[in-house]
Amino acid sequence: MTHEHIPGLDLNNGVRIPQLGYGVFQIPAEHTQQAVESALEAGYRHIDTAAAYRNEAAVGAAVAASGLAREDLFITTKLRNGDQGRAREAFEESRSALGLDQIDLYLIHWPVPSQGLYLQAWREMEQIYSEGLVRAIGVSNFLPDHLEELLGEAAVPPAVNQIELHPTFQQQALADTSRRHGMAVEAYSPLGQGEDLDNAAVAQISQRHGATPAQVVLAWHLASGNIVIPKTATPERMRENLGALSVELSPRDMEQINELDAGRRLGADPATASFSQY
Ligand code: NDP
């Protein structure tokens, strides 16, 4: 499975994003360059990082060392909560850490409604976008209230809402609202941080297809139209996860996984999350 097999999704401004990418949250900075080099070698072309992950420089080093053409790569990073009042400076810090002239996708990491700064941050991001320093801008962890408020003010509508989404936490209403407003839905923690892989129904479907549980869960995301960014530290699993691209689920398989939704959020609740280190 190589990058030629990874389907692209067209965002609302025509920019194409590889639907299956590689996330680097919780990979320590000293291991990130090697991990991203392995991911690129395995065939990934879309890398998801964030200023808060403290590994942007290592992602940039891996990109530089890969020798791949810049236009063949898609790099996402995110604005830290504590930086919403200084989005321009924070963007420049990320761009410089990554060593890139242009970022492909820049996201507001969390809305932090208690801070009241995301509209201000969005205006700065629109300006950065208009200067061509980023190819698309979007949000992460935005709930319908936050989306409504942003859309009421935005000159550039967000291209993406990156949200926690996996079989036991499907957030169908939020995904539908995001799509209705033209945003692509990007699923973070797509494997339920590994916990959704032990599910009996997932195991049953895996057996039917001669595939692994991770491949089945990722194939379900892809067939649902989600962008996915699974994280793994090991090259074997990087390749395994790319193998999801050749798993074709039946309508019955899809229905069986749709029925696993249990409202089981693993991460923080965006309505109240306010950690400034993010
Ligand atoms: P994932 O659902 O991607 O799960 C990662 C876990 O699954 C790791 O423990 C990994 O273990 C394990 N795993 C991966 N592949 C396999 C496999 N084939 N078989 C068995 N186990 C596997 O959760 P994350 O929370 O890491 O989310 C992925 C990405 O989403 C992050 O890296 C980040 O980019 C993004 N994210 C964004 C957030 C936001 O607020 N916007 C919040 C959280 C995540 P191992 O590494 O040992 O292989």
Side-chain angles (χ1 to χ4, degrees), residues 9 32 44 81-82 160 176 195 209 225 246 257:
L9 275 190
T32 301
Y44 293 85
N81 297 345
V160 161
D176 288 347
E195 292 179 20
H209 288 269
S246 41
I257 301 179

Side-chain angles (χ1 to χ4, degrees), residues 23 25 48 140-141 162 189 191 193 231-233 237 240-241:
F25 178 39
D48 184 271
S140 178
N141 294 298
Q162 183 181 118
S189 302
L191 306 173
Q193 298 173 5
K231 172 263 171 186
T232 174
R237 284 178 171 175
E240 176 189 334
N241 293 349

Side-chain angles (χ1 to χ4, degrees), residues 21-27 44 47-50 53 55 76 78 107-110 139-141 162-166 186-198 212-215 217-218 221 228-242 266-268 275 278:
Y22 177 67
V24 298
F25 178 39
Q26 287 172 331
I27 304 188
Y44 293 85
I47 309 294
D48 184 271
T49 184
Y53 304 167
N55 54 19
T76 300
K78 314 185 190 87
L107 305 178
I108 297 183
H109 207 147
W110 293 84
V139 296
S140 178
N141 294 298
Q162 183 181 118
I163 57 175
E164 180 180 341
L165 200 169
H166 45 89
E186 189 166 14
Y188 79 64
S189 302
L191 306 173
Q193 298 173 5
E195 292 179 20
D196 283 4
L197 303 179
D198 298 331
T212 69
Q215 288 172 337
V217 169
L218 294 171
H221 279 288
V228 272
I229 45 172
K231 172 263 171 186
T232 174
T234 70
E236 297 74 34
R237 284 178 171 175
M238 292 173 194
R239 288 190 287 273
E240 176 189 334
N241 293 349
L242 277 180
L266 299 172
F275 18 77
Y278 278 83

Side-chain angles (χ1 to χ4, degrees), residues 67-86:
L68 291 166
R70 177 66 187 90
E71 62 271 23
D72 290 337
L73 294 166
F74 193 99
I75 311 294
T76 300
T77 193
K78 314 185 190 87
L79 175 66
R80 278 174 64 249
N81 297 345
D83 285 338
Q84 285 186 6
R86 57 184 293 280

Side-chain angles (χ1 to χ4, degrees), residues 28-34 36 54-63 97-98:
E30 64 273 24
H31 297 146
T32 301
Q33 181 175 347
Q34 182 56 56
V36 174
R54 300 180 186 280
N55 54 19
E56 288 171 309
V59 170
V63 164
L98 284 160

